[in-house]
Amino acid sequence: MTIVDIGIPRRLVEFTVDGETVRVPEGLTILDACTATGTDIPTLCYGDTLEPANACRVCMVEVEGSRTLVPSCSRKAEPGMVVHTGSERTRTSRKVVLELLASATDLSTTPGVAEWLAETGADPDRFGPDAATVAQPAIVDNELYVRDYGKCVLCYKCVDACGEQWQNSFAITVAGRGFDARISTEFSNPLPESACVYCGNCVEVCPTGALSFKREYDKRADGTWDESRQSATTTVCTFCGVGCNLTLHVQDNEIVKVTSPHESSVTHGNLCIKGRFGWQHVQNR
Amino acid sequence: MDLKLLDAVASREEEEAVAGFAGGGRDQLLPALHAVNDRVGWLSQGALNLICETLHVPPADAYGVASFYSLFALEERPERVVHVCTDLACRVKGAETVCEVLTEHVGAAGKARGGVTWLRGPCLGVCERAPAALTFQAGDPATTELVAPATGASAVLAAQREPSPSDGSPPLIHQKDGLRLLRRVGVVDPSTLDGYRATGGYAALRNALRMGEAAVLREVTDAGLLGRGGAAFPTGRKWAATAAQPAGPHYLVCNADESEPGTFKDRVLLEGDPFALVEAMTIAAFTIGARQGYVYLRGEYPRALRLLRNAVAVCRERGLLGTDIMGHPGFSFDIEIRRGAGAYICGEETAIFNSIEGFRGEPRTKPPFPVEKGLFGKPTVVNNVETLVNVPLILTGGAAAYRAIGTEASAGPKLFCLSGNVERPGVYEVPFGTTLRELLALAGGVPEGRSLRAILLGGAAGGFVRPDELDLPLTMEDARAAKTTLGSGVVLVLDDLADLGGFLLRIAEFFRDESCGQCVPCRIGTVRQEEAIHRYLAAGSDERALLREVGGVMRDSSICGLGQTAWNAIESAIDRLGALG
C-alpha cells in the first residue's frame, strides 16, 4: 500500500530504523514505513491489496526488546521502537529462509528472488540432493489458467483473494498441514467442478508464477514469452458500466494477458472473468 | 456468500450424523466433522457437502479444515482404527516391537485389511503405562478401547476384535503424602458431585462469590500463580488484563489439549477430579466477567471426555453452572467441551481459537494478544488445566498459605510427569524447588542394574539434563538459569541402553508431522532438521553447523512456539550430551 494518500490527518510516529530517526503516519507497518522512507526490505507474501498473512518470513526485522524477530509486514510501527533491518540476525534469518524456500520450491519465475539469494549468499543446495521438495506436475484443467504448485510458496494470497477479502468465491483453500500443506480445491477436485468463477484475481496476486494465465504458460513452454517485447496499456473495460481499469499486456501486436492496476480505486487489481479473459474477439482477424 | 456445493450425496448414516447440527454456524464445523467421522469412520464428499450445506461453510474451506486434523480420514477407511503411540515414552518402552508384531499379523501401517487398519501416531498421553494403543471403532455410538501397556499380542487382539467399550483404567497415584492438587485422584469417585463436595469442593467458589471479583483477582495475583502449560505467564496479570477490557463478551478457554509428548498430568486431573476443573473455571469466569467457557480437550482422551461431560451436566443440573450460580444473582456461566481432532498445534493459545471457530488450527500472529482479541475476536483468557486447578487451593487457603509452598518466584505445588526408564512412572506432585534427584527418588529411580543416561525435561520442546545435573531445583528461575525449561512438567528418563539417536530422530519427526505449515521456517525447517539427523544416523556426517543455523532461524522467525522450540531438545542433546557429533 502506498503511503502518499494519508486521508484524514494522522498523528506521526517517531521511531528508529537502522540508527536513523524516521517519522511516519500512525498505523503504518514497519514495512510500509521502511518502504516510504527508502529502506528496502524484501518480502514474498506481502500483498499490497491484502491483509498481511506474514507466512513467508522473508521480511523479518529485529526490534529491540523482542525475543524473536518480527514480521515487518504486519507489525505496526510504534513510537520509540528501535528497528534493525540489516543486522547479523536478520541477515542470517533472511538467508536461511530463502535457502529453505529455494531448496523446496521452483522459484525460477519469482521476481526478485535470484537477487536476494545472491545478496544474502544463500546456498539452497547445501541441504543435499535428497532434500524434499514440492515438485509436482502442473495442473492444466481449464483453458484460462494453470496451477503449477511446484512453484507455490504457500503465501495464502490466492486463498485470501478468492475468499472473504475480495472475491467471496471460496473455491480454494490451504489443505493438509506441515510440509504436506498445499493450495487445493475441495477433495482436490478439478477447478471446473469447484466454486471457481475464473476472475483470475488469484493469478493477479500470485507472487511466484505458481498461478499463471494459460496463454503465458503456453508461451513460456514454447519459448515465445518475452517480457522485453511487451508493452502495457491501461484502458477501461467496455463490458459493463462499472468502469474497471484494464492493463493490456501486448506482445507482437497480440494481447497476451490482462491485469488491473492495484492502485485503481475502482478495482484494486480485481477483475471479473470478462475483463480478465474476454479479449479474444479483439484479435480475431 | 453464495455457496457452490458438491454434487455428491450423503448416505443415510451420514445424514443422521449431521441432523443435529441444523441451524448451527461455522463454529460447529469441528463437532460436525467429528459426528460423521465417529459414525462412519471417514468423511466422504457427500458428507462434507451436507455439512457445508447445513452450516453454510464453503466446501473448500471445510476440506481445508478436515484435512488439517489427523483423526479425520478423507478417504474411505475401515470402521476400526488402532492408533499406536510411537512417541517418546512409548518408544523407550518398546513401541517399535508392538509395531513390528502388528505389521506381521495385521499388515503394514495404514493398509486396510479385514475391517481394520492401524496407524503409527503421536503421544496418546498415557506415558505412565507405555507403550499405548487406542482403538477407535466407528458406529452408533462410536466406541474406543485403550490398550496400555500394550504388547504385540494385545495390540493384535485389539485390532482383530470389536473393542470392548473401555476408556482405560482410573489414574493411579503412587504418592500418598503431601498432596494438594492430586488429593482426590483415585480417592474420590470422579463421577459424583457429592463426593467432590464432601472433600471441600465448591468451598472456593463460595468464598470467591463472597469476596467479589476484585478481591479474587488480588488473591490470585498475590499468590503468584504462574501458568502451568509451559510458558509460565502470571495468571493474575492475564485475568486482570482481560477483566479490564471494555469490549465484550469475555471468554474463558481451558486448554486441555495436552499433546506435548510425555505429558499426562492434565489427563490425570481431568479423569480423577473433573469437578475441580469445573469449579475452577467458574471462579475464573466470575473474576474475568465471562459467561461462556470452553474446554478444548484433545481427541485422544475418551475417559476424560466422559467424566468431564458428566461433571458439566451434573453441575448444570445442580445450579453450579447456568444462571444465578450458587444463588448469586446475575452470575451466569456455562461450559462447552470442544473435542480436538489430533493436532498438537491446537494447544497453542491462538490456534485453539481458530479451531473452536471452525477454521484450520493455525496460530495467529501476536499482537494482538488473546486478552485483547481472542476467541471470536473478543477478550479471552486461556489457562491450562493444571493452572486452573490451583485456583481453588488459593481461594480456600489464601494467597499467603499458597505462597508458602515452593519458592519466592515459583509459588505453589507442581505436577511432574515421570515416564521412560523409571521404576514407578506416573504423575508426582511436589512443591516447586524440589530437586530433580528427589523427584527421581520419589519415582523409585532408574530400574535396578541400569544407570541414568539423561533426562528429557519439559517435553519434546524442552531440553536434556545430564546425570551430573540432578541437583537442579525444579523452579522456573533455576531451570531458566540452567538454560533449560520445566515446560509442561515432563521428566522422561533415559537409561544407558536408550537409543539416543533414534530418540532424537523421533523428536524431529514429531515436529515435522505437527507443524501447521503456515510459515516457512517451521514448515521447511523441521523437514531439513529431520533430514540432517537421518543423514547423521546413516552416514555419521557432521550436520551440527547446519542444524544450528536452521534451528536458530526456526527459533527466531517462526510464527509460534511450535517452530520456535522445535530445535530445543536437539540443540541441548548436542550441547549437553555430545550427541550427533
Side-chain angles (χ1 to χ4, degrees), chain B residues 115-127:
Chain B
V116 65
T117 188
W118 74 277
L119 303 168
R120 307 163 70 95
C123 187
L124 292 170
V126 279
C127 317

Side-chain angles (χ1 to χ4, degrees), chain A residues 26-30 71-78 81:
Chain A
E26 191 177 37
L28 255 61
T29 62
I30 298 174
S72 63
C73 66
S74 63
R75 182 65 62 87
K76 298 259 194 299
E78 292 163 29
M81 210 178 221

Side-chain angles (χ1 to χ4, degrees), chain B residues 2 11 21 46 50 59 146 222 226 240 296 315 355 375 389 404 414 471 488 501 507 538 563-564:
Chain B
D2 294 326
S11 70
F21 292 93
L50 182 61
L146 178 66
D222 288 351
L226 301 177
Y296 191 87
C315 286
S355 187
L375 187 62
V389 169
K414 174 79 191 101
D471 291 317
S488 53
I507 292 176
Q564 289 164 10

Side-chain angles (χ1 to χ4, degrees), chain B residues 21-61:
Chain B
F21 292 93
R26 174 140 194 172
D27 68 310
Q28 290 301 306
L29 181 55
L30 192 57
L33 294 169
H34 262 305
V36 173
N37 204 71
D38 277 355
R39 181 72 182 263
V40 189
W42 68 289
L43 297 157
S44 69
Q45 295 206 25
L48 195 82
N49 193 38
L50 182 61
I51 291 173
C52 289
E53 201 178 357
T54 307
L55 302 180
H56 214 66
V57 176
D61 269 23

Side-chain angles (χ1 to χ4, degrees), chain A residues 54-57 60 67-69 74-75 89 92-93 95-97 100-101 103-104 126-127 130-132 153-154 156 170-179 181-182 184-189 193-195, chain B residues 1 4 6 43-45 48 58-61 63-64 67-68 70 74 342-343 360 362 365-367 513-521 523-524 527-528 531 535 546 549-550 553 555-559 564:
Chain A
N54 60 70
C56 78
R57 317 307 271 184
M60 304 300 283
R67 183 173 49 87
T68 57
L69 299 178
S74 63
R75 182 65 62 87
R89 228 174 126 196
T92 303
S93 175
K95 180 190 79 143
V96 174
V97 164
L100 291 171
L101 269 174
S103 65
R126 70 176 171 135
F127 301 115
D130 300 324
V153 295
L154 275 182
Y156 287 67
F170 298 92
I172 48 173
T173 185
V174 176
R177 73 175 188 221
F179 198 70
R182 68 218 177 261
S184 177
T185 58
E186 64 274 12
F187 288 94
S188 303
N189 289 335
E193 289 171 28
S194 76
Chain B
M1 156 185 28
K4 179 172 187 296
L6 298 160
L43 297 157
S44 69
Q45 295 206 25
L48 195 82
D61 269 23
Y63 178 76
S67 62
F68 187 82
S70 65
L74 288 154
R360 291 164 56 79
E362 292 172 351
T365 298
K366 295 184 279 189
D513 268 353
E514 298 295 341
S515 167
C516 80
Q518 193 183 185
C519 71
V520 172
R523 179 175 78 236
I524 307 176
V527 173
R528 298 293 176 250
E531 288 169 347
R535 280 197 300 272
L546 183 137
E549 211 174 326
V550 171
V553 171
R555 179 177 294 156
D556 244 2
S557 294
S558 297
I559 291 179
Q564 289 164 10

Side-chain angles (χ1 to χ4, degrees), chain B residues 160-178:
Chain B
Q160 286 171 341
R161 59 167 170 72
E162 287 272 317
S164 48
S166 125
D167 50 19
S169 2
L172 178 68
I173 303 298
H174 299 294
Q175 196 181 359
K176 294 291 168 227
D177 303 320

